[in-house]
Amino acid sequence: MFQNQYEAVFILTPVLSEIQMKDAVDQFKKVLTDNGAELVNEEHWGLRKLAYPIQHKSTGYYQLFEFKSNTDLVAILELAYKRDERILRFLTTKLDKHAIDYADRRKNGKIGKKNQDAPKETKNA
């Protein structure tokens, strides 16, 4: 069966304890695995400041899942997000070949670091 690769980022309310936050993340991970998704990458970005207040909250716990699945699972996952009052925001995007390449390089630490093998620029006066 053909599967697309997706990236889902969601923000949990900051009023949760560490255990409650991990339970919520495990719940959404279970939605993915129970419906046949292949989890490619998972990142917990921690408590971060929001760009603007959401429900009078200025911070939130960020979580990222990268997974391969069919298109039906995205609707199931987003329905689970909408039903959960601990979720402030979520975004699921389908990754094309360039986004998959970028995500792989980001995971391997090749993005955001200076390339030490590149020749240094010299200034001609």
Side-chain angles (χ1 to χ4, degrees):
M1 177 190 294
F2 180 73
Q3 293 185 331
N4 292 317
Q5 187 162 335
Y6 297 94
E7 181 178 270
V9 176
F10 58 93
I11 306 170
L12 291 162
T13 182
V15 298
L16 300 174
S17 69
E18 194 75 20
I19 293 171
Q20 291 171 323
M21 186 265 309
K22 287 181 181 177
D23 285 345
V25 170
D26 288 342
Q27 175 188 343
F28 292 111
K29 190 187 308 182
K30 189 173 182 333
V31 169
L32 290 172
T33 56
D34 287 352
N35 289 290
E38 176 189 343
L39 199 57
V40 175
N41 185 28
E42 175 186 358
E43 294 178 18
H44 177 68
W45 296 346
L47 187 67
R48 290 185 172 207
K49 186 175 179 188
L50 303 174
Y52 53 89
I54 302 172
Q55 298 174 3
H56 304 287
K57 294 173 180 66
S58 60
T59 58
Y61 290 105
Y62 281 71
Q63 179 71 32
L64 174 134
F65 286 131
E66 213 176 297
F67 58 95
K68 292 180 181 176
S69 76
N70 57 18
T71 56
D72 298 337
L73 179 56
V74 174
I76 294 169
L77 181 64
E78 290 189 344
L79 182 63
Y81 287 150
K82 289 177 185 174
R83 287 183 174 165
D84 196 322
E85 62 187 18
R86 298 172 293 185
I87 300 292
L88 295 177
R89 289 286 190 272
F90 64 89
L91 179 67
T92 306
T93 56
K94 179 181 167 187
L95 301 178
D96 63 4
K97 66 180 182 182
H98 303 291
I100 291 170
D101 180 52
Y102 179 84
D104 286 341
R105 287 187 289 139
R106 186 177 53 81
K107 277 187 294 193
N108 295 328
K110 294 180 180 174
I111 302 273
K113 293 181 179 178
K114 290 184 178 178
N115 187 356
Q116 297 177 357
D117 297 334
K120 293 181 180 180
E121 290 184 25
T122 57
K123 293 184 178 182
N124 294 332

